[in-house]
Amino acid sequence: IIPPAARYTTPLGTSLPYVRSNTAFRRAGYELQLTYADQISKDFNFSVGGNVTLYNQLYERNDAEDSVSLKNPLARTTHQTDYWGRGYINDGYYQSVADIINNPRRVAANQLVPGDLMYMDVNGDGKLDGSDQIRMGNSSFPRVTYGVNIFVAYKNLSLEMLWQGTGNRSRYLSGTLQAYYAGA
């Protein structure tokens, strides 16, 4: 894999080599499609089918991840699947000024008021920083896609329908992480 920052322009007419890394990324999946078709009479036939695709991806080795993150089982991204990114855990709301003073807060959060979000100090060091962020959400790329197709024909008239969808993914929309699940 070639890191995006490693793509050089051609200065002075000379090509520069790409910077290679030891990062290894893996993608794997399965797809299943079944269809049943039948002709009831000379004038009437139909078919019903469905498909499902299961897909997964992970970093086998991510050179962009530092050794501190690799040692943290809640934050590491190497050898992990199905996460959107890293972030803080919501621990409720600040109820009073005393609550703001007596609980950890991010360094940049210098204008907190009661009613603002309070985040969890995951590592228990008394401050909120990048070490308190953990993996969250599902992958933004859908892990599951599915579809159902129906075809019905009577003499010269036919009807065909296709329903499809995705599941097990998260999207970041308008500042909020939105999760979509297929089933329980």
Side-chain angles (χ1 to χ4, degrees), residues 144-159:
V144 177
T145 59
Y146 51 88
V148 174
N149 56 309
I150 299 172
F151 173 77
V152 178
Y154 179 73
K155 294 189 178 184
N156 291 331
L157 180 65
S158 66
L159 173 69

Side-chain angles (χ1 to χ4, degrees), residues 84-120:
W84 170 80
R86 290 174 28 180
Y88 296 104
I89 299 173
N90 180 341
D91 199 19
Y93 299 95
Y94 292 108
Q95 301 297 320
S96 64
V97 174
D99 207 17
I100 294 170
I101 293 169
N102 295 324
N103 284 296
R105 58 191 172 281
R106 292 184 294 161
V107 175
N110 55 8
Q111 295 183 0
L112 291 173
V113 295
D116 284 345
L117 286 174
M118 182 168 45
Y119 296 107
M120 188 180 295

Side-chain angles (χ1 to χ4, degrees), residues 28 31 45-46 78 111-112 120 132:
E31 184 171 357
N45 61 45
F46 73 95
T78 301
Q111 295 183 0
L112 291 173
M120 188 180 295
D132 296 306

Side-chain angles (χ1 to χ4, degrees), residues 122-179:
V122 174
N123 63 2
D125 64 357
K127 60 182 178 177
L128 287 176
D129 55 16
S131 301
D132 296 306
Q133 292 183 343
I134 65 166
R135 283 185 318 277
M136 60 178 30
N138 288 307
S139 172
S140 60
F141 193 88
R143 259 190 66 221
V144 177
T145 59
Y146 51 88
V148 174
N149 56 309
I150 299 172
F151 173 77
V152 178
Y154 179 73
K155 294 189 178 184
N156 291 331
L157 180 65
S158 66
L159 173 69
E160 191 164 355
M161 294 183 282
L162 170 66
W163 292 301
Q164 56 188 12
T166 65
N168 289 36
R169 70 181 187 145
S170 295
R171 302 293 293 173
Y172 195 72
L173 302 171
S174 301
T176 306
L177 183 64
Q178 305 288 322

Side-chain angles (χ1 to χ4, degrees), residues 22-44:
N22 290 326
T23 296
F25 194 74
R26 185 185 77 194
R27 293 182 175 130
Y30 302 95
E31 184 171 357
L32 174 68
Q33 180 175 342
L34 296 172
T35 302
Y36 176 78
D38 198 1
Q39 185 168 359
I40 304 296
S41 68
K42 178 180 148 193
D43 296 331
F44 182 76

Side-chain angles (χ1 to χ4, degrees), residues 1 23-30 53-61 80-82 139-143:
I1 290 181
T23 296
F25 194 74
R26 185 185 77 194
R27 293 182 175 130
Y30 302 95
T53 302
L54 303 172
Y55 173 85
N56 224 336
Q57 61 186 10
L58 63 81
Y59 278 103
E60 291 178 353
R61 178 181 166 92
Q80 302 299 318
T81 60
D82 306 328
S139 172
S140 60
F141 193 88
R143 259 190 66 221

